Amino acid sequence: MEILESIKIAIESIRSNVLRSLLTIAIISIGIAALVGMLAAIDGILYSLSDNFNKMGANSFSITANDGLQNHRRGVAQKREENINFDQASSFKEKYNPSGAKVSISTWCSSKATITYGDKKTNPTTYVDGVDENYLLTSSFEIDQGRSFSHAEVYSSSPKIILGYNIVDKLFDGKAERAVGKYVSLDGRKYLVVGTLMKKGSGSGDSNDKRVLIPLINAKIIYGYSDKVYRINVVTNDVKMISQDIDQAIGTMRVVRKLKAFQENNFEIKKSDGILEKMKDMTSTLRLSTIVIAMLTLLGASIGLMNIMLVTVTERTREIGIRKALGATSNNILIQFLTEAVVICLIGGVIGIILGIALGLVVTLSMNGHFVIPWLWILLGITVCILVGIISGLYPSLKAAKLDPIASLRYE
């Protein structure tokens, strides 16, 4: 018996027992919808989190001198490591050039600055950082209005400034578009506002929104001193390549710091990908929980389907006898009833997949995630449906195949 004919007979059987079939299909649909929908939502949310964490530093690392504490080896106090100065930072930026990576140099200037515009001024608690043209690419700050500094502005000591969210709120009533192009005073020095930062929120014990950025060379001239510390941040093009990029950064920094082969590194590499890894571990557990819950639902559906198939075999005993009398083999009967079980499961699976995609889309969008069509989970859903159909229909099919044709013909 050809498979297409088996499917056609299976559909006719489903139509003749609509209510029972629909109940089983509904249960299977719910299980598959839960499986596909939640797994799709988890993937969409994780994708968005990964993208956000990349912006926050998951695909970045920083280079700093070893901490300022005295190192003690074998009871002997070691020399404090020198800070990374401007020349070393600039040399690293020039020499380090893996594909797609961006290097920024920045330095802390003040945490007690006052910004003035007209008759308005901030409290003397504004943070000032000197940055280069790549700083916004390697940090979690984003431009709201205006632009970042150009290379020429950074290295010509140009009096330009980028204002944080709280500064704009204080001086320009929160209207960032009004701030761009205006002159403000930073501790008595005039600066042209070229951009404003989006709201970020507090972190590390201070408010990142009470911050202004000025060009690096301008900061060096005004706030510089002999042992001033410069920070180096690197953002990679691909988070998967961060280990290779770090290895290259270590080699470049050893050259910049003029370390000999036998000397240990006198600087530290700090990366920020731990949060994303923990999030992936958490979502793996959530995925497993979702699969277990969906499988329990499908277990109930499989029991219901097996019961329906057993009833069907009983109701169609005389039909089975007629088929065998006309030449159908036990194998033909087995395949026919297995096909009916699988078809019921696939119909429920298709409906469940459609509902699951819709569910995943709604959940992902409600959490501001990025929805991705879950091809892997769709394939998993179809595979599970086929397995449930085979497992649930195997015993009833074997029972039907073993029926004696003469006894079946006499069955009333």
Side-chain angles (χ1 to χ4, degrees):
M1 185 182 295
E2 295 183 359
I3 190 64
L4 291 178
E5 185 179 351
S6 297
I7 294 173
K8 183 178 179 181
I9 295 174
I11 293 173
E12 290 297 327
S13 176
I14 293 170
R15 286 177 178 175
S16 63
N17 298 281
V18 176
L19 184 58
R20 287 186 308 199
S21 299
L22 285 180
L23 288 174
T24 306
I25 288 171
I27 298 173
I28 293 172
S29 299
I30 292 171
I32 296 297
L35 180 68
V36 174
M38 293 311 299
L39 291 176
I42 291 169
D43 280 355
I45 294 168
L46 184 60
Y47 180 90
S48 299
L49 286 173
S50 178
D51 185 56
N52 290 333
F53 277 127
N54 282 347
K55 294 178 182 178
M56 293 169 63
N59 63 333
S60 68
F61 59 92
S62 61
I63 305 175
T64 61
N66 288 339
D67 59 53
L69 299 176
Q70 293 281 4
N71 294 316
H72 292 268
R73 295 176 188 168
R74 298 178 183 178
V76 180
Q78 302 295 315
K79 179 183 177 182
R80 288 177 183 268
E81 307 295 358
E82 293 182 358
N83 289 323
I84 297 175
N85 58 39
F86 178 79
D87 290 337
Q88 290 174 345
S90 298
S91 179
F92 177 87
K93 181 178 178 180
E94 181 181 349
K95 297 177 184 297
Y96 182 74
N97 58 355
S99 177
K102 296 291 184 181
V103 179
S104 76
I105 304 172
S106 59
T107 186
W108 173 83
C109 299
S110 174
S111 60
K112 299 179 180 180
T114 300
I115 312 294
T116 305
Y117 175 72
D119 58 352
K120 297 180 180 180
K121 68 177 182 179
T122 66
N123 295 325
T125 55
T126 299
Y127 291 79
V128 181
D129 282 328
V131 304
D132 66 3
E133 71 280 8
N134 290 334
Y135 179 74
L136 295 180
L137 299 176
T138 63
S139 71
S140 56
F141 292 101
E142 295 182 78
I143 287 290
D144 181 12
Q145 297 290 327
R147 59 176 176 81
S148 182
F149 301 129
S150 67
H151 180 84
E153 289 170 340
V154 170
Y155 292 96
S156 65
S157 70
S158 182
K160 305 292 174 64
I161 195 169
I162 297 174
L163 304 181
Y165 181 86
N166 283 1
I167 311 302
V168 173
D169 187 54
K170 181 72 174 179
L171 302 182
F172 298 94
D173 300 321
K175 298 177 180 178
E177 64 278 4
R178 285 180 49 199
V180 178
K182 301 296 192 301
Y183 281 92
V184 297
S185 176
L186 168 58
D187 289 338
R189 298 180 179 87
K190 282 192 174 183
Y191 284 82
L192 175 64
V193 179
V194 297
T196 64
L197 299 175
M198 294 183 67
K199 186 174 183 178
K200 181 174 174 59
S202 298
S204 303
D206 66 278
S207 174
N208 286 305
D209 294 324
K210 295 193 302 182
R211 188 177 301 273
V212 297
L213 309 177
I214 61 176
L216 186 65
I217 298 301
N218 185 277
K220 183 175 183 292
I221 293 172
I222 298 174
Y223 297 94
Y225 44 85
S226 60
D227 59 346
K228 188 171 182 60
V229 179
Y230 288 83
R231 302 186 298 265
I232 299 175
N233 289 315
V234 180
V235 63
T236 63
N237 189 45
D238 185 356
V239 70
K240 297 177 182 177
M241 299 295 293
I242 193 168
S243 295
Q244 293 90 318
D245 291 341
I246 286 176
D247 290 339
Q248 186 173 340
I250 291 173
T252 304
M253 200 63 192
R254 286 184 63 86
V255 172
V256 169
R257 300 276 273 185
K258 299 179 180 178
L259 296 177
K260 297 179 181 179
F262 61 86
Q263 290 181 303
E264 295 183 0
N265 294 338
N266 58 4
F267 56 90
E268 292 181 306
I269 302 287
K270 297 179 180 179
K271 58 179 183 177
S272 314
D273 57 354
I275 299 176
L276 185 57
E277 292 303 318
K278 289 181 180 178
M279 185 62 65
K280 288 181 179 178
D281 291 340
M282 290 172 61
T283 53
S284 295
T285 304
L286 187 58
R287 279 197 191 99
L288 181 60
S289 301
T290 301
I291 291 174
V292 170
I293 293 171
M295 289 305 175
L296 290 174
T297 304
L298 291 173
L299 177 62
S302 65
I303 294 172
L305 177 60
M306 183 180 292
N307 181 58
I308 286 177
M309 294 305 298
L310 287 171
V311 172
T312 301
V313 170
T314 302
E315 290 178 344
R316 295 167 62 185
T317 299
R318 187 175 180 80
E319 177 190 326
I320 294 169
I322 295 172
R323 288 179 183 276
K324 284 193 171 184
L326 293 174
T329 64
S330 296
N331 190 50
N332 294 145
I333 301 299
L334 176 68
I335 292 175
Q336 177 58 51
F337 280 87
L338 270 180
T339 302
E340 289 184 21
V342 172
V343 167
I344 290 174
C345 285
L346 284 177
I347 292 173
V350 170
I351 296 173
I353 287 170
I354 295 171
L355 294 175
I357 292 175
L359 175 64
L361 177 62
V362 171
V363 173
T364 304
L365 294 180
S366 67
M367 298 184 69
N368 296 320
H370 180 80
F371 183 74
V372 180
I373 297 177
W375 297 113
L376 178 62
W377 306 128
I378 290 174
L379 180 61
L380 175 63
I382 293 173
T383 303
V384 167
C385 285
I386 294 174
L387 290 175
V388 169
I390 292 174
I391 294 171
S392 301
L394 186 58
Y395 174 69
S397 300
L398 287 171
K399 183 179 179 180
K402 291 178 180 179
L403 288 175
D404 180 77
I406 296 176
S408 299
L409 286 170
R410 293 175 178 173
Y411 183 82
E412 294 295 337

